[in-house]
Amino acid sequence: MLKLILRRLPALFFVLFCVITLTFFLVRLAPGGPFDRERKIPPAIEAQLLAKYKLDGPLWSQFTGYLADIARGDLRLSTKYRNRSVNEILAQTLPVTFALGGLAFLLATAGGVWLGTFAAVRRNTVADRLAMGGALLGLSIPMFVVGPILILVFGLWLKWLPVGGWGSPAQLVLPAITLAIPFAAVIARLMRTSLLEVLNQDFVRTARAKGLPDRTVVYKHALRVAILPVITYLGPLAAHLLTGSIVVETVFNIPGAGGFFVNSILNRDGFLLGGVVIVYCALLIVFNLLVDASYALLDRRIRVDA
Amino acid sequence: MLEPGAAVRILRRPAAKVCLGILIVVAAAAAFGPELFPERYREPGPLQYAPPSWQHPFGTDLNGRDVLYRVLLGARISLVVGLAGAAVSLFLGTAYGLVAGYAGGKIDNAMMRLVDIMYSVPRLIFILIFINAFDGHVREFAARLDWPWLVSYSRIVILIITLGLIEWLTMARIVRGQVLALKERSFIHAARVLGQSHLKIITRHLLPNVLPIIIVYLTLTVPAVILDESFLSFLGLGIQPPQASWGSLLAEGAQSINPLKIYWWLLFFPAVTMSTTLLALNYLGDRLRDTLDPRR
């Protein structure tokens, strides 16, 4: 496993470098600067501002300077939230996003695997059709519709759960469910297809033939193999959850990194935007590596390092 | 692979008929509805936040605009972006998959590794940055060429291209898988022995054989692109007012849910229209795939 990680490392740094480069130049490509206001600032002050935020000099030296700063772990200052560094903003908001995303991750995987297994075991019954119909519905209703509906029902009518905001565990429930639903649906469909395929294989027939109870056959033998496609989906799932959390944070008024991301685009706050993107991508790259490694552990037949 | 009977077989299911009917109705309403709409209700009126009535079946919004009319206009933009974006992804994904599968070996490996990497980065986030970077330039470019239509529709054009640029990955994977299996078949070997060029083999022999599966995944890409577009518009970074798509209508609707006063119709009608359309598209796509690919 260590060998796998070491072998992947150069490629990972290359991907991260591409992400940083792409973000840096795309932000610079946008017309207008971070200090454009209705009123023109005097040139001397503008020059000072640009120097303070290291936005002066030729583009190429700005880029190399930025790379050097990132290598040192400094994501620079936000040009909108003056005197706050991007590191500081991310340190405050990322834990929020991770708490939400992590819970949604667990809900989506557990719920999806359960629903998919439930449907596969009852293949072609009414229960199966209902479960898969539900999954299709979950895929087709956007999160920003599910969110307000949950708020309306559980927050405003039944008054069981808080409408939004952040701080208590109860405030985490509705956003996490909203975020998890579409991905639970994807996983349920993956799980059902894969389990149906595995249930037709010889080793399952052998297990049945030697008289094992149905439960043991499905949960101990078939599920272990059938879950592999779900594991491959976990990497993209993490990426989707981070993207989705932007919307869910907006709907539920959660002070996570998503809101800062959207604002940083509107405010032309290049370093904050870059910081969020770079940190997101770095985390996802590491997460994908871990998924690949765990894949190798789960299924000995697969040699990932080959 | 796609025998003529397949479409008929799929439509034998009542649910499939209903879905097809819904799609036809939504498409027709989007195409002709805004023109047929009574002219005096097209402009903002004096009635603010009027609940649904005979006059305004879907109610009115903050500016007294008829929500039904706005939903119809939104359907137009959402459907056009969905279809055109899916078409862009179709070309890219098919070309990429064909080349990777046909080339095989190291080239295939490298190309598919790139797809894997793109799968695991938050692609929509890059789209947001892209739109932000290019929108102004496109508008400037259009103004210089004196193309007024591109000035007002620059966002939509950029959305179509960029969303097409991120939704091609699945298509590429599927096409590549098909090509890998096809290229070992004897008719491809025969074509090669006869000395046909690679380009000809790809376009004349491989492409027609992967076409059915491409059509299936096209039906599944359209709802994905519509959903992506609505995501961007919901955040206020996609379609800009006064234009509206389902996503931006839903954004207004979601803001109207608050403890003081609930204007439910602002959320309900766009949500139902959009969700039913996506559901119908996804259902038909699923059925098509199951019919074509009995393994699943």
Side-chain angles (χ1 to χ4, degrees), chain B residues 117-163:
Chain B
I117 291 171
M118 284 190 65
Y119 254 117
S120 52
V121 291
R123 284 164 286 152
L124 271 176
I125 284 180
F126 279 100
I127 293 304
L128 287 172
I129 305 175
F130 241 87
I131 294 173
N132 178 52
F134 288 113
D135 189 30
H137 290 291
V138 169
R139 218 170 294 173
E140 205 175 281
F141 176 71
R144 210 180 315 140
L145 286 179
D146 203 23
W147 286 351
W149 61 270
L150 190 57
V151 176
S152 45
Y153 292 110
S154 66
R155 277 274 167 156
I156 299 180
V157 173
I158 293 178
L159 273 174
I160 288 171
I161 295 171
T162 48
L163 289 178

Side-chain angles (χ1 to χ4, degrees), chain A residues 57-300:
Chain A
L59 197 61
W60 183 248
S61 64
Q62 283 183 39
F63 176 60
T64 46
Y66 187 48
L67 280 182
D69 277 356
I70 288 178
R72 260 181 265 123
D74 175 14
L75 294 167
R76 292 199 171 167
L77 293 171
S78 155
T79 49
K80 170 72 182 175
Y81 307 96
R82 299 284 169 91
N83 300 322
R84 286 183 74 186
S85 72
V86 175
N87 292 44
E88 192 188 318
I89 293 176
L90 285 179
Q92 282 172 6
T93 55
L94 277 183
V96 175
T97 300
F98 285 156
L100 173 63
L103 188 59
F105 186 86
L106 292 179
L107 282 176
T109 352
V113 168
W114 175 79
L115 191 68
T117 315
F118 174 90
V121 178
R122 292 166 183 74
R123 181 181 195 175
N124 289 336
T125 61
V126 179
D128 174 25
R129 298 243 166 78
L130 277 180
M132 284 304 106
L136 198 63
L137 198 69
L139 268 180
S140 304
I141 304 183
M143 277 180 237
F144 41 84
V145 172
V146 175
I149 291 174
L150 290 182
I151 291 179
L152 206 60
V153 174
F154 295 101
L156 295 179
W157 286 344
L158 298 173
K159 296 197 192 306
W160 287 354
L161 289 162
V163 169
W166 191 252
S168 72
Q171 283 170 319
L172 199 58
V173 179
L174 288 184
I177 291 176
T178 310
L179 187 54
I181 283 178
F183 307 113
V186 174
I187 292 177
R189 284 153 59 103
L190 268 179
M191 191 66 223
R192 177 176 177 273
T193 315
S194 157
L195 188 57
L196 281 181
E197 214 164 284
V198 171
L199 284 177
N200 277 330
Q201 282 180 15
D202 288 343
F203 78 96
V204 174
R205 201 195 308 146
T206 311
R208 285 227 164 95
K210 70 179 183 186
L212 289 180
D214 243 18
R215 284 186 87 73
T216 326
V217 174
V218 173
Y219 293 103
K220 282 254 168 75
H221 293 243
L223 206 60
R224 280 172 78 151
V225 183
I227 209 158
L228 287 173
V230 176
I231 309 270
T232 353
Y233 179 67
L234 293 184
L237 170 68
H240 288 311
L241 284 176
L242 276 184
T243 321
S245 70
I246 297 175
V247 158
V248 173
E249 283 169 14
T250 317
V251 170
F252 288 92
N253 258 322
I254 295 171
F260 278 93
F261 172 76
V262 175
N263 284 331
S264 70
I265 290 184
L266 296 172
N267 297 329
R268 309 200 174 294
D269 196 342
F271 292 130
L272 181 54
L273 175 66
V276 175
V277 174
I278 289 161
V279 171
Y280 272 17
C281 286
L283 288 166
L284 287 172
I285 288 168
V286 172
F287 184 77
N288 269 288
L289 184 62
L290 293 178
V291 169
D292 280 357
S294 73
Y295 204 79
L297 282 181
L298 274 171
D299 189 346
R300 295 285 177 186

